[in-house]
Amino acid sequence: MTARRRLLPLALAALAAALTLSGCSVVEGILPKPAETRDAQSGEIVGGGTTDVFTLSMGDCLNDESSSEEVSEVPTVPCSEPHQYEVYGEVTLTGDEWPGDDAVTQQADDGCYAQFQPFAGIVYEDSTLEFNYYTPTKGSWEEMGDRLVTCVIFDTAATTGSLAGAAR
């Protein structure tokens, strides 16, 4: 079984935008997607491509138009290009036994909420920005020991550049 992580459903505007995009051709669906290119020293993405969700790093920018609740890879781009999301935090869950979807969601929500203000420069309630997260699934928890929640910040419109300190 392939390990996967889950991105909880996004705001309706983001979902609606994703659904209006045109589909890929049959050939694009068959060909393997190239991996992202990172700067050897900084680790920053300098060439867009496909990134395994288990290897997303702080500051990575991505476009996840998947309508699936479970994803294993996402398209990443340099943050200087238009993008939907930016990785702004991580939360490590604890425990040996799978706590259940509700507990994972609550811990992810609490942890990403706590990291929102330090990253964005404004409290979540006063911000026009939103956040979401990739969480472990029961399968990735049990089969791979996955305990990492990856927090992503986004604007309902595409963003260029980092949202660090955006204070909006």
Side-chain angles (χ1 to χ4, degrees), residues 65-144:
E65 299 165 355
S66 170
S67 60
S68 173
E69 284 190 25
E70 291 186 8
V71 295
S72 58
E73 55 187 32
V74 292
T76 51
V77 296
C79 291
S80 60
E81 295 180 12
H83 57 276
Q84 294 172 314
Y85 310 103
E86 180 177 352
V87 176
Y88 76 94
E90 294 179 338
V91 178
T92 302
L93 306 178
T94 59
D96 294 328
E97 304 259 334
W98 169 249
D101 288 331
D102 291 341
V104 168
T105 299
Q106 186 63 55
Q107 290 176 59
D109 200 58
D110 292 345
C112 292
Y113 175 86
Q115 294 180 49
F116 186 92
Q117 180 179 2
F119 181 83
I122 189 171
V123 295
Y124 175 72
E125 291 80 7
D126 294 338
S127 179
T128 60
L129 302 173
E130 300 289 335
F131 73 88
N132 214 320
Y133 32 82
Y134 291 96
T135 62
T137 62
K138 182 177 182 183
S140 68
W141 182 285
E142 293 175 347
E143 294 171 21
M144 297 179 60

Side-chain angles (χ1 to χ4, degrees), residues 4-98:
R4 298 180 186 263
R5 300 188 86 191
R6 177 180 5 208
L7 176 66
L8 296 180
L10 298 174
L12 291 177
L15 180 59
L19 293 175
T20 61
L21 297 174
S22 62
C24 297
S25 72
V26 172
V27 174
E28 288 174 339
I30 295 171
L31 297 175
K33 298 172 188 164
E36 86 283 0
T37 304
R38 293 183 181 270
D39 179 87
Q41 291 183 340
S42 70
E44 179 180 329
I45 294 174
V46 293
T50 301
T51 302
D52 184 312
V53 293
F54 293 100
T55 64
L56 286 171
S57 298
M58 297 289 290
D60 283 356
C61 294
L62 57 132
N63 294 307
D64 184 2
E65 299 165 355
S66 170
S67 60
S68 173
E69 284 190 25
E70 291 186 8
V71 295
S72 58
E73 55 187 32
V74 292
T76 51
V77 296
C79 291
S80 60
E81 295 180 12
H83 57 276
Q84 294 172 314
Y85 310 103
E86 180 177 352
V87 176
Y88 76 94
E90 294 179 338
V91 178
T92 302
L93 306 178
T94 59
D96 294 328
E97 304 259 334
W98 169 249

